Amino acid sequence: MALHCGSFCFTTLASNPPATVKFSQPIVKASVFSSPFSPPNVRLNVKGKTKAIPANGSPETKESPLVVCFGEMLIDFVPTVSGLSLADAPAFKKAPGGAPANVAVGISRLGGSSAFIGKVGEDEFGYMLADILKENNVNNQGMRFDPGARTALAFVTLRSDGEREFMFYRNPSADMLLQEDELDLDLIRKAKIFHYGSISLITEPCKSAHIAAAKAAKDAGVFLSYDPNLRLPLWPSADSAREGILSIWETADIIKISEEEISFLTNGENPYDDAVVRKLFHPNLKLLLVTEGAEGCRYYTKDYSGRVEGMKVDAVDTTGAGDAFVAGILSQLATDLSLIQKEEQLRESLKFANACGALTVTERGAIPALPTKETVLDAILKPVS
């Protein structure tokens, strides 16, 4: 979906008939830890704190490093009955969403510290979204309200298999109108990780705000995380989408992409060929992650690569699965960026991230379905049959 991981959507203007698009993603899996917490010191993030638990069992607590997420936040309207078209759905339930906001809430649910920077309408939905961030312990001081544009809306229909169709309304929506002078640069500079997508690069003034925010983060030594979230119908053309996504490619320290995005960015090359994936590994990149839905994920660093299997679950709604995965891995990296140099520990963290994605598809909506750390650990230790 245009503003979510793992799906595609069409923009619809108020003056034009709405358009829909289908995107298929299989049942998500997340694998179980083979040896869950073998190191003598286990680090868990709980309620914004990092607890190091030594062998004697006495926890030492300190504040968690901050992850700042930049981009869009919106309202999803999800049908109360699956397997029907949007026109036939009898009713819809509103649910907060938007990929960067999903990641921010996901990190907080996992016990980390997060903040969201973006713009919503000065309307009831905008205020509701700001409150939802606050209720989920996400710092929303970087959120702005536009008096002249509405909060973005998306109507989502769920097929019987949990897959989705989307219909978006952006004419323009407030998230597209964030300006550079509205950025909270102090908040950005405090981050350990700055996370963003490519939707905010499509139109001005948000594009300039995005570039300025990323530059401020980079100059402050903040680790940059990029999930392109290709939403082709939102761009003027395929070429402009490819150019826009790649225009900031070499500034990121970590990139998460899907199989479809690999094919798109390499003009149709095989996304399962490691040599093809390596073409996207730029000299400054620390970690490249490829999500494969039900099959788990692949990882690539300068020194090694591999695959982490997933855990099979029954999908109800795949909205937000990719965002939950990103939240899972960023919550781990924020605590210890050196995980990237330690393959076995990185694999453990990716198993955790896969579990986050799997649990999210078992409930409807994105933010409402994002799991807590306790839920993830229970699923890892007691896998779904």
Side-chain angles (χ1 to χ4, degrees):
M1 128 185 186
L3 306 180
H4 283 302
C5 289
S7 55
F8 292 88
C9 83
F10 279 104
T11 299
T12 61
L13 303 181
S15 59
N16 295 330
T20 60
V21 66
K22 298 179 181 179
F23 176 72
S24 177
Q25 181 176 341
I27 292 174
V28 175
K29 298 179 182 178
S31 82
V32 182
F33 284 119
S34 53
S35 62
F37 302 119
S38 52
N41 288 345
V42 178
R43 290 195 173 274
L44 300 180
N45 289 332
V46 182
K47 302 298 182 185
K49 307 286 187 179
T50 297
K51 291 188 176 181
I53 305 177
N56 63 12
S58 301
E60 299 173 359
T61 303
K62 64 179 181 180
E63 290 294 328
S64 293
L66 178 66
V67 179
V68 173
C69 300
F70 175 93
E72 63 279 349
M73 192 172 190
L74 68 151
I75 301 290
D76 289 330
F77 284 92
V78 184
T80 55
V81 179
S82 298
L84 298 176
S85 68
L86 288 173
D88 293 333
F92 294 83
K93 179 181 178 181
K94 68 179 184 294
N102 292 344
V103 173
V105 173
I107 289 169
S108 180
R109 290 262 178 91
L110 294 171
S113 177
S114 63
F116 174 76
I117 293 178
K119 202 171 195 181
V120 293
E122 195 174 283
D123 52 36
E124 287 300 313
F125 285 142
Y127 297 135
M128 185 192 86
L129 292 175
D131 287 344
I132 286 170
L133 291 179
K134 187 175 180 181
E135 290 165 4
N136 283 278
N137 298 314
V138 176
N139 183 327
N140 67 0
Q141 72 183 55
M143 202 169 187
R144 301 293 179 258
F145 298 83
D146 195 303
R150 296 297 190 187
T151 301
L153 306 179
F155 288 83
V156 188
T157 185
L158 303 176
R159 300 203 312 256
S160 57
D161 62 0
E163 294 304 331
R164 303 150 292 161
E165 294 176 351
F166 293 96
M167 184 163 56
F168 266 76
Y169 293 89
R170 304 171 86 218
N171 191 33
S173 52
D175 61 281
M176 303 163 68
L177 302 176
L178 181 67
Q179 300 182 52
E180 183 177 344
D181 62 7
E182 295 177 305
L183 294 172
D184 189 333
L185 296 177
D186 288 338
L187 181 62
I188 293 171
R189 294 183 183 114
K190 291 176 183 176
K192 183 73 171 289
I193 298 175
F194 182 68
H195 175 72
Y196 48 87
S198 69
I199 302 302
S200 47
L201 294 171
I202 297 174
T203 58
E204 293 288 2
C206 192
K207 177 180 178 179
S208 292
H210 176 130
I211 293 171
K215 183 179 186 303
K218 193 75 170 179
D219 290 347
V222 179
F223 197 79
L224 300 188
S225 167
Y226 184 23
D227 180 359
N229 279 327
L230 173 64
R231 307 298 177 252
L232 193 54
L234 293 178
W235 293 84
S237 67
D239 287 342
S240 66
R242 191 176 293 106
E243 180 181 353
I245 288 171
L246 293 175
S247 68
I248 60 169
W249 196 261
E250 295 194 0
T251 64
D253 296 292
I254 175 174
I255 296 174
K256 194 280 286 184
I257 50 176
S258 67
E259 302 150 283
E260 294 87 356
E261 288 162 348
I262 294 173
S263 294
F264 176 76
L265 295 174
T266 59
N267 292 295
E269 294 191 55
N270 182 4
Y272 302 102
D273 185 339
D274 283 353
V276 171
V277 177
R278 283 287 181 183
K279 293 179 181 179
L280 297 173
F281 199 99
H282 66 76
N284 299 317
L285 192 61
K286 311 296 191 303
L287 176 64
L288 178 63
L289 298 173
V290 180
T291 52
E292 298 182 339
E295 301 307 314
C297 67
R298 282 176 281 159
Y299 58 90
Y300 299 82
T301 73
K302 292 179 181 178
D303 301 318
Y304 58 79
S305 63
R307 171 179 273 104
V308 177
E309 297 297 327
M311 175 173 60
K312 185 176 181 180
V313 298
D314 294 325
V316 173
D317 177 13
T318 55
T319 305
D323 301 329
F325 172 89
V326 172
I329 189 60
L330 292 188
S331 71
Q332 302 299 305
L333 290 175
T335 300
D336 184 6
L337 289 174
S338 71
L339 287 174
I340 295 173
Q341 283 81 49
K342 305 167 184 175
E343 184 173 7
E344 287 307 309
Q345 292 183 38
L346 177 63
R347 289 181 60 85
E348 296 284 287
S349 294
L350 290 172
K351 291 173 186 177
F352 179 86
N354 279 345
C356 292
L359 290 169
T360 299
V361 309
T362 63
E363 297 182 30
R364 296 192 183 197
I367 285 177
L370 294 169
T372 63
K373 177 175 285 290
E374 291 77 14
T375 302
V376 176
L377 294 179
D378 283 346
I380 288 169
L381 296 174
K382 301 174 184 178
V384 178
S385 57

